[in-house]
Amino acid sequence: MFKISYPAWYHTPMAQVFMVGFVCFCTVGMFSAINQLGAGGTQDIALSDISNSVLYGVFCIAGFFGGSINNLLGPRLTLFIGTLGYILYIGSLWCFQTQGTRWFLILAGGILGATAALLWSAQGSIMMSYPEEKDKGRAIGMFWGIFQAGSLIGSIMAFAINVKNGGLDAVKTTTYLAIMIVMAFGSCLCFFILAPSEVRRSDGTRVELHSTTTFREEVSGFLSLFKNKQMLLLLPLSFASNFFYTYQSAIAFALLDSSTRALNGIITGVASICGAQILGLVLDIKWLGRRKRGFLGLGVTMTCAVVVWSLGIVYQVGFTRATVFDPKINYKDSAALAKPAALLFFYYINDAFVQSLIYWTMGSLTNDPFTLARYAGFYKAIQSGGAAIAFGVDAVATPYINEIAVNFALLMLALPLCGVVIFSIKEHSDVVVDVVEEYGDEKKASSEGVIVDQS
């Protein structure tokens, strides 16, 4: 079989995190850009809510098994399969816009839920297990920044295409076509992702404990998740971490016209990139112990959540779901746009903080890629369950003030529980590794804190 020979730098953890980030840039990032337009860029927010409820409902179920499937298939194939659902979903939006095929959009949402579980399990395993412990915050920041840049670029594309027709509520079909082409390119990039056994850290260790797993081992590993106290404590924050997107998307649709929603995608994309870099740096401060870094990151996230969501409640009191904005806010009206744009910007700063903190916390519990793949799948399953419920809540026209109150309460409950998990984190995660050429011998490896594989 033909095998590509890569330079040494390509075998480093950060190079692989970059590649996974770029795959998500082209696929999930573009999907996020469309959702930034409100109602998936369609004119029917109720249909979009139903489709997204199906998507996240299936994602919730499939996510529990995503990590085990990744461990059996390997990250390359798992990522590739995971990207295909995103292309199909954008195609279904295109068909709905041109043919009115409502059923296809709902079906595509279900298929995407299954494939997205695979993509995010593989992504989580690579991002959390490949880097050294001292670099995990930076790796998460790098991934989140690249991935969100996809949303940013996609929103710029949508804004450029729709700017001359800012009064339209529906996205032009050329937007969907352009995004599908970018997604197909991202799918091809999956085949350039390296397996764990091909990656080398700067300290000379290989990434994985063993090269293969069995179906029986994966069943056992899957069942053990439901007895894992640390993952159960992270369950409320996992649930909350996508719950707030529905509310934010709903008010964006209610307040902003199509072109301005695209501009909002640019604003929130920048916010997500900035937030991930800030918390990534905090979580990798070299002169603090790992647990102290975790608590510092938690403090930053908690403070931001209290301030931003409190201001959000104050703003929300000014209008209800029954309020009709006619015309909706256009980007040319800077005075009217200032408050909602600033609020949405800081919502997404907080979002990046929350996502980065969860990933860093899970990545601090172990260095084993197989275990972390299961953790990532479990996390995304619970997260998607929260999103499915949130879309269902919004679909029945729940008052906005009730939605924002629930979001705020969830975060205030979940973040302290994350702190309990951070308290249990050790300074170093035990992991058995093979000694590679950079160490030279087992004695040197042991002096670096490596537990040597004697098999």
Side-chain angles (χ1 to χ4, degrees):
M1 181 182 291
F2 177 73
K3 186 175 182 179
I4 300 175
S5 179
Y6 296 104
W9 62 264
Y10 193 75
H11 291 263
T12 62
M14 287 303 183
Q16 293 306 299
V17 171
F18 178 88
M19 282 297 295
V20 173
F22 199 65
V23 168
C24 292
F25 166 96
C26 296
T27 53
V28 191
M30 296 295 132
F31 171 79
S32 297
I34 283 295
N35 277 337
Q36 286 292 338
L37 300 180
T42 71
Q43 294 174 309
D44 193 335
I45 194 167
L47 175 62
S48 178
D49 279 346
I50 293 170
S51 177
N52 277 293
S53 292
V54 172
L55 189 166
Y56 286 106
V58 174
F59 196 165
C60 176
I61 298 170
F64 288 115
F65 308 101
S68 295
I69 294 172
N70 171 77
N71 294 342
L72 293 167
L73 297 181
R76 238 188 321 252
L77 182 57
T78 305
L79 275 172
F80 175 71
I81 296 172
T83 61
L84 299 180
Y86 288 94
I87 302 173
L88 178 66
Y89 187 80
I90 299 302
S92 72
L93 287 171
W94 186 8
C95 286
F96 173 73
Q97 202 78 310
T98 57
Q99 307 296 326
T101 49
R102 299 169 65 89
W103 66 267
F104 185 34
L105 179 59
I106 297 171
L107 174 63
I111 294 172
L112 175 56
T115 62
L118 300 181
L119 182 145
W120 283 106
S121 296
Q123 171 273 333
S125 176
I126 291 171
M127 183 183 71
M128 292 188 288
S129 69
Y130 281 23
E132 296 175 56
E133 292 177 352
K134 65 182 179 65
D135 296 325
K136 289 194 176 186
R138 187 163 60 94
I140 293 167
M142 174 192 290
F143 168 80
W144 203 257
I146 296 169
F147 151 56
Q148 288 294 340
S151 176
L152 176 62
I153 299 300
S155 296
I156 292 172
M157 291 166 53
F159 182 67
I161 292 171
N162 289 281
V163 68
K164 293 183 179 179
N165 302 287
L168 294 178
D169 283 335
V171 173
K172 296 176 69 174
T173 55
T174 48
T175 304
Y176 295 127
L177 178 60
I179 287 178
M180 288 174 67
I181 292 171
V182 175
M183 285 182 166
F185 176 70
S187 295
C188 295
L189 291 178
C190 295
F191 294 103
F192 296 91
I193 301 294
L194 298 183
S197 59
E198 299 177 85
V199 179
R200 297 292 183 270
R201 299 189 181 101
S202 63
D203 63 2
T205 58
R206 288 177 180 163
V207 168
E208 63 182 335
L209 296 174
H210 45 278
S211 58
T212 59
T213 185
T214 65
F215 179 77
R216 179 175 293 180
E217 288 174 336
E218 288 306 317
V219 171
S220 176
F222 165 72
L223 293 175
S224 70
L225 291 172
F226 297 92
K227 298 182 290 184
N228 187 313
K229 293 180 181 178
Q230 292 162 318
M231 291 304 295
L232 293 178
L233 285 168
L234 288 175
L235 191 151
L237 191 57
S238 302
F239 183 89
S241 62
N242 259 22
F243 196 87
F244 43 64
Y245 282 137
T246 304
Y247 165 74
Q248 293 162 1
S249 179
I251 62 169
F253 185 84
L255 296 171
L256 312 176
D257 66 21
S258 179
S259 295
T260 310
R261 293 197 300 269
L263 177 61
N264 177 63
I266 298 172
I267 293 169
T268 55
V270 171
S272 295
I273 294 170
C274 292
Q277 306 319 302
I278 291 169
L279 205 71
L281 291 173
V282 169
L283 293 170
D284 274 356
I285 294 175
K286 305 304 179 188
W287 44 269
L288 283 179
R290 186 151 70 155
R291 188 183 296 173
K292 290 180 180 178
R293 283 181 273 142
F295 279 123
L296 180 59
L298 175 64
V300 170
T301 304
M302 188 82 173
T303 301
C304 181
V306 170
V307 173
V308 173
W309 285 92
S310 296
L311 291 174
I313 291 173
V314 172
Y315 182 75
Q316 183 58 71
V317 170
F319 67 97
T320 69
R321 192 179 285 274
T323 305
V324 178
F325 293 87
D326 187 20
K328 294 182 179 182
I329 299 172
N330 184 266
Y331 67 94
K332 295 178 182 178
D333 187 355
S334 57
L337 181 60
K339 285 185 179 179
L343 184 60
L344 288 163
F345 177 86
F346 285 104
Y347 274 147
Y348 276 74
I349 287 278
N350 183 242
D351 164 47
F353 285 175
V354 169
Q355 308 290 349
S356 299
L357 182 66
I358 296 176
Y359 273 120
W360 183 89
T361 303
M362 291 189 296
S364 297
L365 299 176
T366 180
N367 291 324
D368 175 29
F370 296 124
T371 300
L372 286 171
R374 297 185 203 109
Y375 283 2
F378 184 86
Y379 159 57
K380 297 302 289 189
I382 300 302
Q383 182 188 66
S384 300
I389 292 172
F391 277 112
V393 168
D394 192 67
V396 296
T398 301
Y400 290 143
I401 194 66
N402 292 357
E403 288 192 24
I404 193 173
V406 170
N407 277 294
F408 187 46
L410 277 173
L411 286 172
M412 293 304 100
L413 167 68
L415 285 168
L417 294 178
C418 180
V420 177
V421 179
I422 292 172
F423 185 77
S424 71
I425 290 173
K426 299 177 182 178
E427 190 60 31
H428 296 288
S429 300
D430 294 338
V431 59
V432 182
V433 298
D434 296 325
V435 179
V436 294
E437 294 178 354
E438 288 84 349
Y439 273 115
D441 56 49
E442 295 180 3
K443 184 176 181 180
K444 183 179 179 182
S446 297
S447 70
E448 296 287 338
V450 176
I451 302 172
V452 181
D453 184 4
Q454 302 290 347
S455 60

